[in-house]
Amino acid sequence: MTLPREEVVPGLLEELAEFEALVRLLGESELAAPSRCTGWSAGDVAGHVIGQTADITAGRFDGLGTPEVTARQVEERRGRSAAELADELAAATKIAADILASFDDAAWDGPSPTGAGTLGDGVESLWFDAWLHADDIRAAIGRPTQPGPALRASVSHIASQLTEQGWRPATLSLDGMEEFVVAGGGPAVTGDSVQFVLVATGRADPGTLGLEETVNIYR
């Protein structure tokens, strides 16, 4: 179940602003640092998030999230400076804020422009994606994770994805947050919230939480 519009909209906008600030301060060697996203540098990770935001605010939804479109987003921005990347995101975020302000509850619960789930599901997934990729960049350049409110949105999104993908019934009883149910609820999944997100996105060994490979929403 998607978190409330009143929480997700400001959360996403703040996350994008923090992402911009993170990228703006990256040096050339940091942009080139290899990330845990196979084949991508920290700059490539930034290019994807910025390109995705630019595509969405421009109404380019065809193929969004596919390997081909993601590769285009990265390639179009490869070689740009940190300032150029950050400036593009700042401009796109201003447009996003205007668009998001126009949504009422009916629109929020209505279909996503991509055809996958509701509009609210889609916006929550963008919050999750921006936070996760910011953590990818921080990991690549040796900075610590910054959990924040987006961690809760990430667990919410993953619970929805696992339910949609037919994962086993479970109750996510993770450290520092309320429970989220998968497929109606079932045996408790416990442990560190950040580690769970990394496990559920293929970034950490599921065995560390006693889980199976099928918990990876990108499998």
Side-chain angles (χ1 to χ4, degrees), residues 36 131-132 135 145 147 151 155 158 174-175 177 189-211 215:
R36 60 194 176 195
W131 177 82
L132 181 63
D135 194 59
T145 293
L151 181 58
V155 174
I158 289 168
L174 302 167
D175 297 346
M177 64 181 63
V189 173
T190 60
D192 179 76
S193 301
V194 171
Q195 183 69 6
F196 174 76
V197 172
L198 298 180
V199 162
T201 57
R203 288 163 168 80
D205 179 4
T208 60
L209 293 180
L211 298 172
V215 73

Side-chain angles (χ1 to χ4, degrees), residues 43-214:
D44 292 336
V45 173
H48 159 59
V49 172
I50 294 164
Q52 178 172 257
T53 306
D55 280 347
I56 290 170
T57 55
R60 294 187 293 265
F61 300 111
D62 287 349
L64 202 65
T66 63
E68 295 78 15
V69 170
T70 299
R72 172 185 58 75
Q73 292 164 349
V74 170
E75 190 59 37
E76 285 176 349
R77 290 157 184 84
R78 188 166 282 148
R80 292 186 187 178
S81 69
E84 289 171 330
L85 291 168
D87 286 347
E88 182 182 12
L89 181 57
T93 300
K94 288 180 181 178
I95 298 171
D98 291 339
I99 294 171
L100 290 166
S102 71
F103 297 149
D104 57 15
D105 288 337
W108 189 256
D109 294 331
S112 165
T114 65
T118 67
L119 177 63
D121 294 332
V123 179
E124 184 183 75
S125 74
L126 293 175
W127 190 7
F128 149 78
D129 195 63
W131 177 82
L132 181 63
H133 283 315
D135 194 59
D136 290 331
I137 293 173
R138 291 188 177 100
I141 63 176
R143 296 187 192 176
T145 293
Q146 295 185 6
L151 181 58
R152 182 166 171 265
S154 298
V155 174
S156 172
H157 173 70
I158 289 168
S160 296
Q161 288 296 296
L162 290 174
T163 297
E164 185 178 317
Q165 293 173 12
W167 199 59
R168 62 178 174 82
T171 299
L172 306 182
S173 301
L174 302 167
D175 297 346
M177 64 181 63
E178 76 272 33
E179 294 182 340
F180 289 88
V181 298
V182 176
V189 173
T190 60
D192 179 76
S193 301
V194 171
Q195 183 69 6
F196 174 76
V197 172
L198 298 180
V199 162
T201 57
R203 288 163 168 80
D205 179 4
T208 60
L209 293 180
L211 298 172
E212 56 274 24
E213 294 283 347
T214 55

